[in-house]
Amino acid sequence: MGRVIRAWRTHPYHGRHPISQDQAASWVGMSQAQLSRIENGPPVVHLDRLAQWAAVLHIPEDRLWFALPAANEELDEKEGTVNRRQFLSSTAATAASGFLYDPSIPAQPIGDHEAVDWLAWHLWQNRKDELDPSRIPQPISHRLNAHPHVLRTAGGAYRFTDPALTDVLVAHRVFGDIAQSSGHLLATAQTSHATDLTISALAAENEQARRGLTAWMRSGATAVLRVNSAGILAKVGAADLSDAAISAIRSDRDARHLYVTAVASRVLELPWGRAADLSGATNTHAADWTLGEGDGTKAWASRRLADELANNRDAAARWCSAVLLATCIDVEDTRMRSALMLAVKNEPCRENLRAYAAVLAGATPLKIG
């Protein structure tokens, strides 16, 4: 397990900087020195510790020689409660959940708030509007069955009455982590545009959170942490924070690729893989704008991206749209030039003004020093 942990921490997926031993150790409540001994010492032999690391690293069960605790075996039928240590270690104490079990916490019932919070997080993680009942622990489903904001589909899946609840609940959980000066949850998965908007509204009133986000944006251990932090700051609504976020994204190739991909996927309604291809092509100024049939054309894409320049909720999305426009726009197109000039008139951010000027001149904003 020590070798697996080291391989996971240093994997190129995390960007230019590996996950530190300090950060990984904090996820399971141990010290850096303890994790160092696990990585460099003899094999871990305690099953509860092995199961904990397997959950944190999302190791598939078919790759393990031991069995993870079954959620349906953790319900105390007599007391109607859940052993929190077992439950969190097997279902919610993962790198994406933000929960870590504490052996000193006694058994106690799972409440409505915990149940809907669990559902929201797993819906968001899987980018789905509903979750199959087979994937939900019995104590959670028991609470969800009677919750007024949760419904069952004809096929038995669980979903919220309003899908927007997922983003709201996730945003509040992530912000709680940020407010405690922890970037753990921000580092687990790229946040959505809707989630960022809620987190940014909360961060706008919390100076400590903004300071933490600024530090992670500039020197976070992973590209995901850096891009999430920049995305939140770019939506706070302050021009100085937006300029700092755009500057950080422009100079950080990995974070920039993620942000441009997210904007291309959302604005151009593209699958993530296709959007990622377009994002990568902005570095060579040779994007393939064969988007599909019907309106999926280069002209349609340029119109959608020009419209995004009026998105006053996300300064970095405006910059990313300009980067994408530079590879598809015909600068002689009167309509597009008018849209860019209008954007210049209304733009409060210095970095975006420079980007728009570059596009109007037939250049890419990525070449601006």
Side-chain angles (χ1 to χ4, degrees):
M1 186 61 76
R3 293 170 63 185
V4 171
I5 296 168
R6 178 184 289 277
W8 184 90
R9 286 195 308 101
T10 58
H11 195 279
Y13 170 83
H14 300 303
R16 295 176 296 179
H17 306 288
I19 300 293
S20 69
Q21 284 186 332
D22 272 330
Q23 184 176 2
S26 70
W27 296 344
V28 293
M30 65 171 51
S31 68
Q32 179 273 329
Q34 288 174 310
L35 178 54
S36 179
R37 285 195 292 272
I38 289 175
E39 290 188 354
N40 300 296
V44 177
V45 296
H46 296 291
L47 281 176
D48 58 345
R49 183 62 77 180
L50 287 170
Q52 185 182 25
W53 277 111
V56 168
L57 301 183
H58 291 277
I59 301 175
E61 290 195 52
D62 61 0
R63 296 293 189 271
L64 302 172
W65 61 265
F66 54 90
L68 292 175
N72 61 2
E73 294 175 0
E74 291 154 8
L75 182 64
D76 183 334
E77 296 291 346
K78 182 177 180 180
E79 298 295 332
T81 61
V82 176
N83 181 301
R84 183 174 294 266
R85 173 175 178 175
Q86 292 179 332
F87 175 70
L88 293 183
S89 65
S90 63
T91 60
T94 65
S97 72
F99 284 134
L100 294 173
Y101 72 73
D102 183 343
S104 66
I105 297 177
Q108 50 184 286
I110 294 297
D112 287 353
H113 177 77
E114 291 171 301
V116 297
D117 197 41
W118 188 97
L119 178 63
W121 191 268
H122 286 75
L123 287 172
W124 180 78
Q125 259 201 304
N126 292 285
R127 296 293 188 262
K128 294 182 180 297
D129 289 331
E130 59 187 47
L131 201 62
D132 189 89
S134 64
R135 304 183 61 184
I136 303 177
Q138 186 178 349
I140 294 289
S141 60
H142 176 72
R143 284 291 183 179
L144 295 178
N145 286 335
H147 200 282
H149 297 304
V150 177
L151 56 82
R152 302 287 298 273
T153 67
Y158 288 82
R159 62 182 301 152
F160 285 117
T161 53
D162 182 354
L165 283 172
T166 298
D167 289 309
V168 172
L169 291 169
V170 167
H172 278 272
R173 171 181 281 191
V174 173
F175 181 75
D177 203 48
I178 295 170
Q180 295 178 28
S181 300
S182 170
H184 165 53
L185 296 185
L186 274 184
T188 58
Q190 188 167 358
T191 52
S192 66
H193 182 71
T195 305
D196 278 354
L197 288 173
T198 300
I199 299 173
S200 67
L202 297 169
E205 306 298 326
N206 189 307
E207 183 179 354
Q208 179 178 334
R210 296 195 300 275
R211 285 200 301 267
L213 289 165
T214 300
W216 297 326
M217 171 184 74
R218 292 171 175 164
S219 57
T222 69
V224 170
L225 176 58
R226 298 194 300 274
V227 76
N228 284 344
S229 300
I232 293 166
L233 291 173
K235 298 176 182 68
V236 167
D240 58 336
L241 289 177
S242 295
D243 278 324
I246 295 167
S247 179
I249 292 168
R250 188 185 68 238
S251 61
D252 185 336
R253 186 184 182 97
D254 293 339
R256 182 177 72 243
H257 177 72
L258 289 174
Y259 212 120
V260 175
T261 298
V263 171
S265 179
R266 175 174 59 84
V267 175
L268 301 179
E269 303 171 6
L270 294 174
W272 188 265
R274 181 70 183 96
D277 290 341
L278 284 180
S279 176
T282 59
N283 295 306
T284 62
H285 208 76
D288 175 11
W289 286 96
T290 307
L291 303 181
E293 299 179 357
D295 284 337
T297 63
K298 184 175 178 179
W300 175 84
S302 64
R303 289 195 299 271
R304 291 295 299 261
L305 292 169
D307 289 342
E308 184 66 14
L309 299 181
N311 177 4
N312 60 9
R313 304 289 301 277
D314 188 344
R318 299 197 297 272
W319 183 85
C320 291
S321 294
V323 170
L324 288 162
L325 270 172
T327 66
C328 76
I329 191 174
D330 178 357
V331 293
E332 302 301 324
D333 186 321
T334 303
R335 183 179 181 277
M336 288 299 103
R337 290 188 68 85
S338 296
L340 280 163
M341 292 303 297
L342 180 61
V344 168
K345 180 179 178 181
N346 297 325
E347 180 58 57
C349 298
R350 179 184 68 254
E351 292 292 339
N352 278 340
L353 288 172
R354 299 172 69 199
Y356 303 159
V359 178
L360 284 166
T364 173
L366 296 180
K367 299 300 183 182
I368 299 176

